[in-house]
Amino acid sequence: MADQNLMEKIISLTKRRGFVFPGSEIYGGLAGTYDYGPMGVILKENVERLWLSMFRDNRDDMFGVDAAILMNPKIWEASGHVAGFSDPLIECEKCKRRFRADHLESLGKCPECEGKLGDARQFNMMFKTHAGAAEDDSATVYLRPETAGGIFTNYKNVVDSVHPKLPFGIAQIGKAFRNEIAPRDFIFRLRELSQMEVEYFVKPDDWEKAFEEWRKMMHLFAGAVGIPENMVHELEVPDTDRAHYSKRTIDFEFDYPFGRKELWGLAYRTNFDLSAHANASNTELAYLDEETKEKFTPHVIEPSLGVDRTILAILSSAYREDELAGETRTYLALSPKIAPMKAMVSPLLRNKPELVEKAREVRAELKKVHPAIAWDDNGNIGKRYRRQDEIGTPFCITIDFDTLGEKPELKDTVTLRHRDTGEQERLTVSQVVERLQTALE
Ligand code: ATP
């Protein structure tokens, strides 16, 4: 069910609390661009780090690259993007608005002004620019439309430098650019986006096994970032809808507030890319099996995950409103692993140096567990809790006069407040440290 109201609330919360801002906002914005703010960058880094640990670092068969965004344009000719990376564009003859033909319910009338729609034509989505001082066609370069290109073109460099045994893969996180006809739905359809991609190279007969392994890994990753399993749905993409390079694709769809839409993709790209680049560049991009002495072009499984769509799935599934102490409150039920702040420490009163000093000590202890421990001494304690709720901070720790020994039996204890329930417990600092450790394990 589409819930536009929920989208508006998420957009407002993420701006208010420093997660996501409209791009170029003080100049009226730029369609299809958004900027991540102080909380958003940490959330994004946490998502990317978790992906790196699961898809690259905790495995012996995975290697990383960080390729240039600008690449020789011949790459995009060989990969088929110059000829075929396009969407059907349709323009209203009356109001001149442009739409993606495959996103319109009917091709009869303009959805905005009911004017007559023109004929659909293919619109290439690659951003073009010029390298160097000349501005003619010979200087045309493209901003990469997917990070995969920089992986395939480094296949030989990786093989020659680290000598991996098949099967092995190359992982990369980075920006990609698509001149989407109609950017929309907040950070769902952007013109400048981030992708986390793997190209996993296998013997031709082994593709199905690898496909299944990465399929499971994608579900595990959804769980790890706290995306509820029941909101993720696999869609087997039919032959007619698959990208030109793919023999099998599964779209991982998510129940966004505006409907069920693609979150990630998993594709079997055969040996299309390596063969095409080998032909076009006149370079051998084969693999020599040392044991059998057999030489062949590896086939490829590609799990491709959009960072921004992942973040939107996390935010929209974590958004909650409830009644607490007679007031309506909003909070983000983020998993502690990806929450930007793991805990907040607060002295009950900011103008009592002994409380502030003790609170700083407690914060220093917690920072030994994790550096992302917030400090807030602004406004009354209820307001501080509400702010942290909206950021999704799992724990708030308050230092009061009892901590200092006003009631001797409570000396060196603090109040630990839990985000989701609002419940509070009186614990020693070392117990709080343990709680935090357990939550982050
Ligand atoms: P769609 O059909 O929604 O346009 P796509 O099938 O073209 O997406 P892919 O080419 O498979 O997308 O790209 C891989 C991943 O990159 C997607 O699953 C998504 O997570 C992300 N992605 C693609 N296009 C965008 C975009 N315009 N904005 C944000 N993320 C995107």
Side-chain angles (χ1 to χ4, degrees), residues 60-306:
D60 291 331
D61 56 351
M62 290 297 305
F63 305 90
V65 293
D66 184 4
I69 288 172
L70 297 177
M71 292 189 269
N72 190 313
K74 287 181 188 154
I75 290 170
W76 306 114
E77 278 163 30
S79 66
H81 284 80
V82 171
F85 191 63
S86 49
D87 277 336
L89 167 76
I90 210 163
E91 192 176 279
C92 169
E93 292 179 358
K94 193 168 153 204
C95 72
K96 305 288 177 206
R97 280 202 181 83
R98 292 173 156 196
F99 306 94
R100 243 178 87 164
D102 56 335
H103 283 174
L104 290 177
E105 270 171 27
S106 112
L107 295 182
K109 277 192 196 147
C110 171
E112 297 289 335
C113 75
E114 306 228 314
K116 185 171 176 291
L117 293 172
D119 292 334
R121 66 177 169 90
Q122 288 301 317
F123 171 78
N124 194 296
M125 293 200 290
M126 283 199 293
F127 277 98
K128 259 189 201 176
T129 185
H130 296 98
E135 290 202 357
D136 56 25
D137 283 352
S138 67
T140 295
V141 289
Y142 302 97
L143 300 188
R144 66 183 179 198
E146 55 177 25
T147 63
I151 297 183
F152 291 120
T153 48
N154 278 300
Y155 165 81
K156 187 171 155 40
N157 286 331
V158 172
V159 169
D160 292 347
S161 57
V162 296
H163 310 288
K165 293 258 171 303
L166 221 58
F168 73 91
I170 304 177
Q172 174 169 231
I173 298 183
K175 290 265 179 149
F177 301 83
R178 298 180 177 196
N179 198 1
E180 295 279 355
I181 294 169
R184 60 161 103 162
D185 296 323
F186 193 35
I187 53 172
F188 178 81
R189 190 168 297 286
L190 296 167
R191 289 189 172 141
E192 176 175 341
L193 54 130
S194 296
Q195 292 182 316
M196 309 180 278
E197 294 198 300
V198 163
E199 304 303 330
Y200 194 71
F201 301 100
V202 297
K203 289 183 179 168
D205 288 345
D206 292 346
W207 77 266
E208 275 162 311
K209 183 167 163 268
F211 194 93
E212 288 310 318
E213 282 170 12
W214 286 108
R215 185 178 182 177
K216 279 200 202 103
M217 183 59 109
M218 291 167 80
H219 285 288
L220 284 178
F221 182 68
V225 293
I227 297 176
E229 187 61 20
N230 64 359
M231 295 177 87
V232 179
H233 312 273
E234 289 189 3
L235 174 81
E236 188 78 46
V237 180
D239 291 2
T240 44
D241 293 351
R242 273 198 306 263
H244 58 279
Y245 49 72
S246 174
K247 277 248 175 88
R248 186 179 179 198
T249 297
I250 290 179
D251 281 352
F252 284 67
E253 296 190 317
F254 177 78
D255 294 321
Y256 286 103
F258 43 84
R260 189 172 289 182
K261 294 274 161 59
E262 175 173 337
L263 167 66
W264 306 321
L266 174 65
Y268 168 42
R269 290 176 82 130
T270 67
N271 60 0
F272 170 86
D273 301 87
L274 285 184
S275 302
H277 291 306
N279 283 336
S281 65
N282 219 358
T283 309
E284 189 174 73
L285 299 178
Y287 180 84
L288 174 69
D289 189 320
E290 298 288 350
E291 277 156 33
T292 62
K293 300 294 172 211
E294 197 193 345
K295 208 181 228 186
F296 58 93
T297 306
H299 283 222
V300 164
I301 303 298
E302 178 196 68
S304 176
L305 291 79

Side-chain angles (χ1 to χ4, degrees), residues 292-407:
T292 62
K293 300 294 172 211
E294 197 193 345
K295 208 181 228 186
F296 58 93
T297 306
H299 283 222
V300 164
I301 303 298
E302 178 196 68
S304 176
L305 291 79
V307 177
D308 315 276
R309 287 189 190 181
T310 306
I311 289 175
L312 186 53
I314 290 170
L315 291 171
S316 56
S317 56
Y319 185 93
R320 304 271 190 289
E321 283 172 3
D322 68 0
E323 291 288 321
L324 196 64
E327 268 183 57
T328 306
R329 68 147 184 171
T330 304
Y331 67 100
L332 293 180
L334 297 175
S335 132
K337 277 206 186 69
I338 59 142
M341 290 295 143
K342 309 305 176 192
M344 182 275 275
V345 176
S346 195
L348 184 64
L349 299 171
R350 67 198 291 188
N351 55 1
K352 295 282 175 213
E354 58 278 33
L355 285 179
V356 173
E357 191 190 335
K358 182 70 188 171
R360 294 232 174 260
E361 267 172 40
V362 172
R363 185 173 181 232
E365 277 309 299
L366 292 172
K367 270 182 169 281
K368 291 180 193 159
V369 181
H370 199 287
I373 309 294
W375 173 268
D376 194 352
D377 56 9
N378 209 355
N380 71 43
I381 205 79
K383 284 214 178 101
R384 299 179 205 171
Y385 288 161
R386 296 291 177 278
R387 275 198 287 273
Q388 296 302 320
D389 284 345
E390 291 202 341
I391 292 168
T393 310
F395 306 112
C396 287
I397 294 117
T398 303
I399 281 70
D400 57 19
F401 292 105
D402 289 339
T403 316
L404 303 178
E406 200 165 277
K407 283 201 197 102

